Amino acid sequence: MTKVMPKGSNTPLTKVDAVRAVLRWRVVPGAPDVDVSALLLGLDGRVGSDDDFVFYNQPRHPSGLVRHRSKARIGDDVTETIDIDLALLPTEIDRVVVGGSVEHGDFDEIPELRILLFDIAGGPGAEAIARFDIADTTGVTALLCGELYRRGGGWKFRAIGQGYSSGLVGLATDFGITVDEEEPAATAAVAEAAPVTEPAPEPELVIPPPPSHPPTPPAPQPAVEPAAAAAAQPAASHGYGYPPPYQQPVLLPEPEGFVLPLQGPQFQGGQR
């Protein structure tokens, strides 16, 4: 059975080695989006280094024992998750705080906000161990939803619900995270003062396609002019349909005693 927890209460996590802390809320038009985060704290209540802050931009602790998971849609609700391997955390980690933040607006615009704690060993579909409904969030842009802390050799979960008006930056710096908000502007100023000259692009090598066939050699030029060549050709070289240029025939003298034979169709009929 899921234990419904009021603000400030706690519950022991008996025989639980790894938990899944799920922040869940109802989607409504125009409401801000929520990002979940986790801070691994020592006995002094502060992080050992910036690596102990697990959130969307640093989704995995170097140890691999605390992991941020992407958002998921369940009907009209959205969830975002932090997985924590409690049994394997080194002893210098005394607490793991689970927080949430919004970039625009505040948590009062987000309906049905709650944190649910699951035993990962229960598998998908298992009932939550605990549930804490978060309220009184007017003007809050970041909040501590709950924390897992060591007690008597085991772990407990406490419902916190403490809000910040300074957003994720305020929440992170409160536990010793170094946040330099001026760094992007300084980087931009350096970029303007010393622009980087990009090298000129190298010319592209253009390879023409190979020809489809060898080029045709030019036709040989005639040794003589066409008119002179035609005049030099004898008349016999011209065939029917291509008469030579007209020339006056040369008549040879008839030999002595030469007589033409009788010709004509009237003489041909009598020959057999």
Side-chain angles (χ1 to χ4, degrees), residues 19-87:
V19 295
R20 175 163 295 158
V22 179
L23 201 59
R24 182 167 177 167
W25 64 96
R26 179 62 55 96
V27 176
V28 294
D33 195 21
V34 182
D35 295 306
V36 70
S37 56
L39 297 114
L40 286 71
L41 309 178
L43 288 171
D44 60 354
R46 297 174 69 82
V47 297
S49 71
D50 290 353
D51 290 338
D52 291 335
F53 185 32
V54 176
F55 66 118
Y56 57 85
N57 204 35
Q58 188 168 269
R60 187 180 181 89
H61 189 262
S63 67
L65 301 177
V66 181
R67 301 168 297 279
H68 175 280
R69 297 193 179 276
S70 301
K71 287 181 172 64
R73 185 73 179 259
I74 304 175
D76 295 329
D77 289 0
V78 174
T79 65
E80 197 169 35
T81 301
I82 297 286
D83 286 351
I84 307 160
D85 293 332
L86 296 174

Side-chain angles (χ1 to χ4, degrees), residues 6 24 34-35 37 43-44 52 76 82 93 108 113 124 139 153 160 182 185 190 201 204 217 224 226 254 268:
R24 182 167 177 167
V34 182
D35 295 306
S37 56
L43 288 171
D44 60 354
D52 291 335
D76 295 329
I82 297 286
I93 302 300
D108 199 44
L113 181 67
I160 301 179
E182 301 298 327
V190 171
E204 295 183 359
V224 296
E254 296 180 354
Q268 294 178 4

Side-chain angles (χ1 to χ4, degrees), residues 31 35 57 77 85 95 107 121 164 166 170 174 202 205 227 236 252:
D35 295 306
N57 204 35
D77 289 0
D85 293 332
R95 289 192 291 157
F107 276 97
Y164 291 77
S166 51
D174 201 27
E202 297 183 1
L205 178 63
L252 297 177

Side-chain angles (χ1 to χ4, degrees), residues 1-2 20 22 24 74 117-129:
M1 176 182 290
T2 301
R20 175 163 295 158
V22 179
R24 182 167 177 167
I74 304 175
L117 198 68
F118 295 85
D119 182 355
I120 291 179
E127 190 177 14
I129 300 171

Side-chain angles (χ1 to χ4, degrees), residues 262-269:
L262 296 176
Q263 297 181 10
Q266 63 274 25
F267 297 103
Q268 294 178 4

